[in-house]
Amino acid sequence: MWDQVKQALDQSTTKFLTGLAHQLPGMVALIVALLISFVLAWVLAIVVRRLLASIRFDERLNRWGFASIQEWSPMNSPTRLVSRTTACVVILAGFLIGIAAFDAESTSLLVRSVFAYVPNIVGAMLVLLVGSIIASFLARSVLIGAVNLNLQYARLLSLGVKWLVIVLAVAMALEHLKIAPGIVDLAFGILFGGIVLTLVLAVALNSKELVTKSLERDVKEPSGENIEEPFRHV
Amino acid sequence: MEVDSIPQQTQERAAQIESADLVVGVLADLGQDGLMNLCEGLRALPGLPRIVILRRDSASNTAAANAQSAQQEDTSLSLLPWSAVGPDPLGAPLQSISIACQSLFAATGKLGARACCFVASEMESASPQWVCQMLGPLLESDFDFVAPYYAPRMFQGFLNSGIVYPLTRCLYGKRINNPFGPDVGVSRKLAQKILGMNRNANAGTNQSHPLASLAPVAVCENLQICQVHVGARLYPPTDWTNMSSLVAQVMGPIFLEMERSAACWQRTRGSVPVPARGERQPQSQETGTVDLNRMVETFRLGVRDLQEIWSLVLPPATLLELRKLSRLAPEQVKMPDELWARIVYDFALAHRLRTINRDHLLRSMTPLYLAWVVSYARELETAGATSVEQRIERLSLAYEAAKPYLIARWRWPDRFNP
């Protein structure tokens, strides 16, 4: 009986140690991959930061109309945001490589599904980027146009247009990521409709005064007497 | 480009004519009588030059024009339809003028004419005799660029008075009152230079407006320039809903030209008058009501909402002064000439550096321009019509005084970065 227990214990110890020994190269590979990716990420982050600093990326971004990125960047610097994102991507890639080496059979499925999802993430990021460029361009166009038309609610209009495009871009990006498509559709409909309704109400309420002024002017001006404005610009 | 810019029908007729001494492009609606008078005046020019008149072909008067052209044609004068600008140039007037101008210059080269004249405006006097006056210096004295000298008006031609004239004078050192025309006389030499320049620029997107290039090219190439007193011009009415587009259309080509001729204007200091011909016309009284409050309101709205954009273009000191101005009562708003000159220079630099989208930049200048118009109009209203030229002279001197600031910022934009 004691021999049988000893034999079972030996077998389980051998099995465990064999299994451990079997996993050890994978673990070492994971640690090495992580270490290398950390070093690579650190070097790459420095290179990216210096490169972006040399082309004054923060200033340029500000000029291109992406001042809002600064607000939610680490240390208010979009350069740091880009360099840290680059580092994170490299570390993630190193981790996935390490995981694949750790246990090819059980983890390959995870790695494969993660890599299969990468195009969706890239696509969504592109949609967001293009969306934010278009949003900021249109917002600026509307703001300048509305100010020149002497519309008191110019800023509101511009913000409305900006958020319309951003909501559209976010909805498209989430659709691309296949995250809760039903909820996204519903939320998008509600948000988009809400913004349009807000804009319509704001414009209508602000226009009340404009219409009143216009009517008053019509009443004050004697009908038939067309007073020509003498101002000519070009 | 040259051949393409001449309409097919005109090319065919021009091929029959072979050559001419003068080409006159008539974009303005002179009417049948006006055109007849013009033809008679041109026939009376000394030396009996062979003249080709290109006349804008609108749907309503095509038949009449053709009939008249058949009637009027003789060996010395030919009347050709001119559809290069389309039937209605009202939508984008400056674009139409640009196309028409290029077409006229191309026709001048093709016909081997000595000079051409562009007639784009209607004048207060019904007689188009002023066209012949403009042609005189081109034919008799070998001038290369004849600019119009319109009788000064208190409330008209603000863009010219506030930006185009003082800026051109300060940059290129010649006091050409209406460097942008649009009614100009041009020698073949200058026309070919402008066409060649635009042909070279065609590869990129920097094709400028031929009218904006005339004065800078003529000055920088040491060509002969003069101006002719042509009377009072009838300016087209203001479309207030399209104001920013107008500002962008005028300022864009001027800033582009400034960029192209930077090496030339950076060497120029001060300014000298250019010879003027003809008799000065007396100023006529202007009537009408002006709503300055609307412009002040646009300026205030700009200060409130366009800070984000202006802060990329203007230095903090300028922004501060603008904020102070916007807080004043509407009747007290007065933009100092020095401030206005610096604003124009800062926008020119931002245009060159592409600080923001160029169209946005130029349109965002409109509230500032309107603030200047308010100050200028209010000052003239109290000073009287006789002081228009003195007022413009004072503004031009402010531009000249601020030129070192422009040169410094142009050469070292980073050092002065707002």
Side-chain angles (χ1 to χ4, degrees), chain B residues 22-40:
Chain B
L22 270 177
V23 183
V24 180
V26 183
L27 194 66
D29 189 9
L30 298 179
Q32 300 299 321
D33 292 341
L35 197 68
M36 294 273 276
N37 287 341
L38 176 65
C39 292
E40 277 167 28

Side-chain angles (χ1 to χ4, degrees), chain A residues 56 59 62-63 137 140-141 143-144 147-152 154-155 227-234, chain B residues 155 157-159 235-236 238 240 244 289-290 294-295 301 304-305 355-356 360 363 366-367 369 414 417:
Chain A
R56 294 180 184 176
E59 270 177 45
N62 220 358
R63 284 176 184 175
F137 183 87
R140 205 172 252 182
S141 300
L143 180 67
I144 295 169
V147 165
N148 288 332
L149 284 173
N150 212 357
L151 301 179
Q152 292 297 323
R155 185 158 282 280
I227 302 169
E228 199 191 347
E229 196 187 61
F231 273 31
R232 303 283 186 268
H233 293 269
V234 71
Chain B
F155 296 134
F158 284 122
L159 269 167
Y235 288 83
T238 304
W240 288 100
S244 60
T289 53
V290 181
R294 182 176 53 183
M295 288 187 259
L301 206 58
R304 196 187 76 186
D305 291 340
T355 306
I356 57 171
H360 286 169
R363 284 172 191 266
T366 312
Y369 163 69
D414 292 337
N417 217 4

Side-chain angles (χ1 to χ4, degrees), chain A residues 31-47 86-87 90-91 94:
Chain A
I31 292 165
V32 169
L34 273 175
L35 279 175
I36 291 172
S37 66
F38 268 114
V39 173
L40 207 66
W42 181 66
V43 173
L44 216 63
I46 291 173
V47 171
T86 313
V90 173
I91 292 170

Side-chain angles (χ1 to χ4, degrees), chain B residues 60-335:
Chain B
S60 59
N61 62 13
T62 308
N66 286 342
Q68 194 190 13
S69 101
Q71 259 180 16
Q72 291 292 320
E73 254 178 62
D74 57 32
T75 49
S76 68
L77 200 140
S78 313
L79 204 67
L80 302 184
W82 196 22
S83 53
V85 289
D88 181 22
L90 293 174
L94 291 170
Q95 251 177 341
S96 295
I97 287 177
S98 170
I99 297 166
C101 225
Q102 293 211 34
S103 162
L104 177 68
F105 292 169
T108 306
K110 201 168 161 49
L111 292 168
R114 283 171 62 191
C116 62
C117 184
F118 190 57
V119 182
S121 310
E122 290 164 44
M123 298 289 164
E124 265 184 1
S125 69
S127 160
Q129 205 54 37
W130 59 272
V131 180
C132 304
Q133 286 172 0
M134 289 199 74
L135 286 168
L138 293 167
L139 296 172
E140 295 156 24
S141 314
D142 288 331
F143 277 100
D144 293 292
F145 176 42
V146 181
Y149 194 130
Y150 304 117
R153 305 288 298 265
M154 206 158 52
F155 296 134
Q156 304 202 349
F158 284 122
L159 269 167
N160 184 61
S161 311
I163 309 176
V164 182
Y165 166 65
L167 184 63
T168 310
R169 164 178 162 168
C170 158
L171 290 178
Y172 306 102
K174 300 275 184 197
R175 295 176 197 167
I176 306 166
N177 273 60
N178 294 89
F180 212 108
D183 308 289
V184 289
V186 178
S187 70
R188 188 176 66 195
K189 192 169 150 191
L190 180 55
Q192 292 307 302
K193 277 186 193 294
I194 303 284
L195 276 182
M197 219 168 62
N198 274 340
R199 211 174 18 234
N200 293 338
N202 262 353
T205 53
N206 284 352
Q207 193 174 11
S208 66
H209 197 294
L211 286 180
S213 306
L214 282 172
V217 172
V219 175
C220 296
E221 300 279 339
N222 283 322
L223 301 179
Q224 297 293 309
I225 304 168
C226 79
Q227 44 192 0
V228 172
H229 292 283
V230 289
R233 181 181 169 219
L234 291 177
Y235 288 83
T238 304
D239 177 8
W240 288 100
T241 55
N242 218 9
M243 198 62 220
S244 60
S245 167
L246 194 68
V247 171
Q249 278 185 59
V250 173
M251 295 316 298
I254 290 174
F255 286 161
L256 263 182
E257 200 50 54
M258 212 171 147
E259 203 178 325
R260 186 146 54 188
S261 55
C264 168
W265 61 255
Q266 285 185 43
R267 291 194 300 265
T268 312
R269 295 285 184 278
S271 64
V272 291
V274 293
R277 294 194 169 195
E279 271 181 46
R280 272 182 96 98
Q281 303 284 325
Q283 253 181 250
S284 51
Q285 285 299 315
E286 288 165 74
T287 53
T289 53
V290 181
D291 182 11
L292 293 178
N293 286 344
R294 182 176 53 183
M295 288 187 259
V296 174
E297 203 49 52
T298 307
F299 167 62
R300 282 182 174 167
L301 206 58
V303 172
R304 196 187 76 186
D305 291 340
L306 298 181
Q307 280 288 325
E308 191 191 311
I309 297 168
W310 289 351
S311 64
L312 299 170
V313 179
L314 302 171
T318 307
L319 289 172
L320 187 71
E321 284 193 59
L322 290 174
R323 268 197 292 272
K324 278 186 198 166
L325 266 181
S326 72
R327 283 192 215 110
L328 295 173
E331 60 278 1
Q332 286 177 327
V333 171
K334 184 184 175 301
M335 186 180 281

